[in-house]
Every structure is written in structure tokens, then in C-alpha cells.
Amino acid sequence: MDRPAVVVLFGGRSSEHSISSATAGGVLRAIPRDRYAVIPVGITREGVFVLEDDDPDKFGLDADRLPEVIDNGSRILWPEGGGDRTLRVRRADGDIADLGNVDVVLPILHGVHGEDGTVQGFLDTLELPYAGGGVLDSALCMDKHFMKIVLRSAGVPVSPWVTVTAAGWARDPDAVRADAVALGLPLFVKPARAGSSVGVSKVAAPDELDDALRVAFAEDEKVLIETAIVGREVEVAILEGRRGGRARASLPGEIVLTTREFYDFEGKYLGGDGAEVVCPAELTDAEIAAIQELGIRAFEAVDGRGLARVDFFLASDGLVVNELNTMPGFTPISMFPKCWIASGMTYPELIAELIDTALERA
């Protein structure tokens, strides 16, 4: 029996290009080759689709040299639609080669132009099955402003916030400062549509707000100012239900901060000191059940598909959802795979689960 052909799609135009590339290294190493034929397709920082090397070591996560997709001269020629699923490549010398029919695409893209529904819409237009979130949940969860609105309307608790646009800040900065102060200190300032803690700052005093907004606006023209919630940072990994079943939640994990103010980019991906990923977290049975149930409710509220990681604050007065990530990191130190491994699933089984769920849906 022929193995299903899986396009592993990674890289992209966002500031999280290197994290996506590092995730690809882990996936290429662990995907069950006896079950799937793999076609690695990279997207350069300029948005060029290239046929990449099927070499996990090329995309290892190294603090001194973050991996990336380089334009090698090849060009991916996507199927032409109308039921066609033939993938082709035009090589650097101009020759065109047939790569065979695509059964499913595994988009491990983070950030804008990948995790925001754009690539998902592209694949829907080509009628290519794909793993992970769809257009709606990807777009909603990429924009933290609209994600919070949807969650709050579904009765899922979120932290108080105000949303600020670059135009609004330029027009009336004093009003923005007043709105921020009304939330109380400390605050978090974050881009509405960026991930991996890129552009995020903690504000402990009013005179720090302007610089925090400058950092966030460098990533996005829309920014959230949020009340900082005091509590434990816990996360749960969600997988779409199979064959009509309800979504499933892993054992929760916890981000334990020692010397870091918050779980920033270096702590998440470069193994920086001051933050530790603990999974499973030390929680009571009642806390585990509450986190799993609220994680599934949040996933259902955004019409989740495929997978998501739901991040919480466990405060003295209950749980608050911080955000959902529809394509969380799969690097060796990432929370999502660690939670499912702690729940009894291997890394290769987790990758297969995503692919098989997509194939069932197709």
C-alpha cells in the first residue's frame, strides 16, 4: 500500500520564521517514515516556496545560529485546482520535476502569513487537505483582540484589557496612558498579532508604558494592554476529537519562573536561564480537571480544529485564559509535545495523530 504523501510546510514571512524552521527539524526527525512519504517545502522570509532538503540536522535550534529557509533557486509549483493534487518543482536549472500527488499538508508555520488563516485559505482554495487549524480559528487566535472578545462572549474568563492602534496612539497618547493606568499596574503590553512573546513587555511603572508600546508597535499596528494576572502559568495541549468525539486535553504543564519577569522568546526557545517547563504540573485532581475542561471549552469557543495550546493563569480566585495558539511550537523544549508525552503519547504518535485527523476530515 502506498504511503500518504505529506508536505511539511515551514519557514514563512513572519518574525517567527526561525522557530517554524526549528519545529520542522523536530518533525522531520520524528515523523514515522514507514507510514508517510515526506516532501519538505520551505517558505523563505521573502515568501518564496522552495523544495527543501529532507535533513533534520539542517534545522536544529541553536542559540548562536537560528535555522532559516534560504532561497535555493527551486520553485514549488502547486496543484492547479479542480481536483488536481500533483505537486511539481521547477529546479534552479529550469527543469520541472513531478513530486507526485499530495495527500495532506502539515503547515508548521508560526505567526502571520501562516498561523493566521491565510495559508489555510490558500490550501482550501486548492482543495488540499491539511492538518491543524482552519481559516476561522487560525484567524481568531492570531488576533488576540478578537480572540478575547469571542472567549468572553462564551463565558471563558480572560484578563481585562484595552486595545490600542498605532493611529490612536499617535492621535491621543494621553488618553491611551489614562486607559492603561485605569487597568492598574503591573501591565503587559503585547502585539495583537504576533507570537512567541515577540514584542512583549512588562510595565511596572507608568513611565515604562511609552517604550513598551514602541516595542510592540514595531511588530504590529494593533497592540493590547492587559492587566497582569498574579498566579501560576499553566498550559494544556488540546487535540481535535476523532470520528465525531469531543476534543481531548492533555495533562497540564507549568511555566515556572525564577529570575525572568515573564516567559519570553529566549526562555521559550533558546533554553535561557530563569524559566523551566514542568510537565505534568503539580496540581490537584480538581485543578487538572478544571484546566482540561476550560481548555476544551476555549477550543470549542473559537471553533478549534486540529490542535491548540491553551495558556492560563491559575490565580487565587480561579482560572483566566491568557491565549490560544493554533500552531504551538514543536521544538524539543516546547510545552505542547511535552504535555502529550507526559499523557502517554510519543512524539512520533503525536505527529501521526495530526496527520491522520486531517486525512479523516478529508
Side-chain angles (χ1 to χ4, degrees):
M1 181 177 177
D2 290 340
R3 295 170 296 161
V6 180
V7 171
V8 177
L9 184 63
F10 60 96
R13 292 169 52 196
S14 84
S15 58
E16 298 174 81
H17 175 102
S18 290
I19 300 308
S20 171
S21 300
T23 296
V27 170
L28 290 174
R29 189 181 306 280
I31 190 169
R33 301 291 178 140
D34 59 331
R35 294 187 57 189
Y36 310 108
V38 177
I39 305 172
V41 174
I43 307 175
T44 69
R45 295 184 188 275
E46 294 73 36
V48 177
F49 291 81
V50 301
L51 182 64
E52 259 294 358
D53 297 324
D54 191 357
D55 179 7
D57 292 335
K58 181 178 178 180
F59 302 103
L61 188 58
D62 184 336
D64 296 325
R65 186 195 62 80
L66 293 176
E68 64 178 316
V69 177
I70 302 297
D71 189 347
N72 57 22
S74 67
R75 294 294 183 267
I76 290 295
L77 306 177
W78 289 97
E80 298 179 357
D84 175 38
R85 290 191 180 181
T86 305
L87 191 70
R88 299 175 178 86
V89 60
R90 185 173 68 245
R91 303 194 186 278
D93 61 7
D95 285 347
I96 294 178
D98 190 333
L99 300 176
N101 285 351
V102 175
D103 291 290
V104 65
V105 179
L106 177 58
I108 47 177
L109 298 161
H110 304 305
V112 295
H113 311 300
E115 195 180 352
D116 58 357
T118 51
V119 164
Q120 290 75 16
F122 171 70
L123 296 173
D124 279 338
T125 301
L126 294 180
E127 299 181 281
L128 290 178
Y130 57 92
V135 173
L136 178 61
D137 56 325
S138 298
L140 276 178
C141 294
M142 189 73 240
D143 191 311
K144 297 177 181 66
H145 169 76
F146 290 107
M147 177 196 68
K148 280 176 169 280
I149 289 174
V150 169
L151 291 176
R152 186 173 62 182
S153 70
V156 175
V158 297
S159 60
W161 87 98
V162 294
T163 300
V164 184
T165 63
W169 170 242
R171 186 170 55 248
D172 195 348
D174 287 339
V176 173
R177 294 186 187 108
D179 288 342
V181 169
L183 288 172
L185 294 169
L187 300 165
F188 277 103
V189 177
K190 58 181 68 173
R193 294 163 293 201
S196 297
S197 298
V198 174
V200 179
S201 302
K202 188 174 184 179
V203 173
D207 61 2
E208 297 174 359
L209 179 65
D210 289 22
D211 281 345
L213 286 168
R214 176 184 53 78
V215 170
F217 280 131
E219 297 294 331
D220 193 356
E221 64 182 5
K222 183 163 64 174
V223 166
L224 273 66
I225 305 173
E226 297 179 337
T227 300
I229 303 296
V230 178
R232 297 169 65 182
E233 294 188 42
V234 294
E235 302 180 352
V236 69
I238 307 295
L239 286 171
E240 178 183 342
R242 301 283 294 272
R243 292 173 285 277
R246 198 180 186 209
R248 296 155 290 161
S250 71
L251 289 172
E254 181 175 9
I255 306 302
V256 179
L257 301 177
T258 53
T259 59
R260 289 184 184 273
E261 283 287 324
F262 63 98
Y263 194 36
D264 59 8
F265 183 91
E266 184 180 3
K268 282 184 177 180
Y269 297 110
L270 303 183
D273 295 333
E276 184 181 358
V277 176
V278 178
C279 194
E282 291 188 16
L283 298 161
T284 67
D285 290 346
E287 288 170 335
I288 292 171
I291 290 165
Q292 290 174 326
E293 176 60 25
L294 190 57
I296 291 172
R297 281 180 53 202
F299 186 73
E300 292 172 342
V302 300
D303 199 20
R305 240 181 57 166
L307 76 162
R309 193 192 70 231
V310 185
D311 302 348
F312 303 85
F313 292 107
L314 177 55
S316 58
D317 57 349
L319 288 164
V320 175
V321 171
N322 183 31
E323 63 178 307
L324 283 81
N325 285 272
T326 56
M327 182 44 72
F330 270 75
T331 67
I333 60 172
S334 295
M335 181 67 86
F336 190 91
K338 280 193 168 187
C339 283
W340 280 113
I341 290 168
S343 304
M345 189 179 293
T346 67
Y347 190 23
E349 287 171 345
L350 178 58
I351 297 168
E353 179 75 17
L354 298 178
I355 295 169
D356 292 347
T357 300
L359 289 170
E360 279 182 12
R361 195 188 305 120

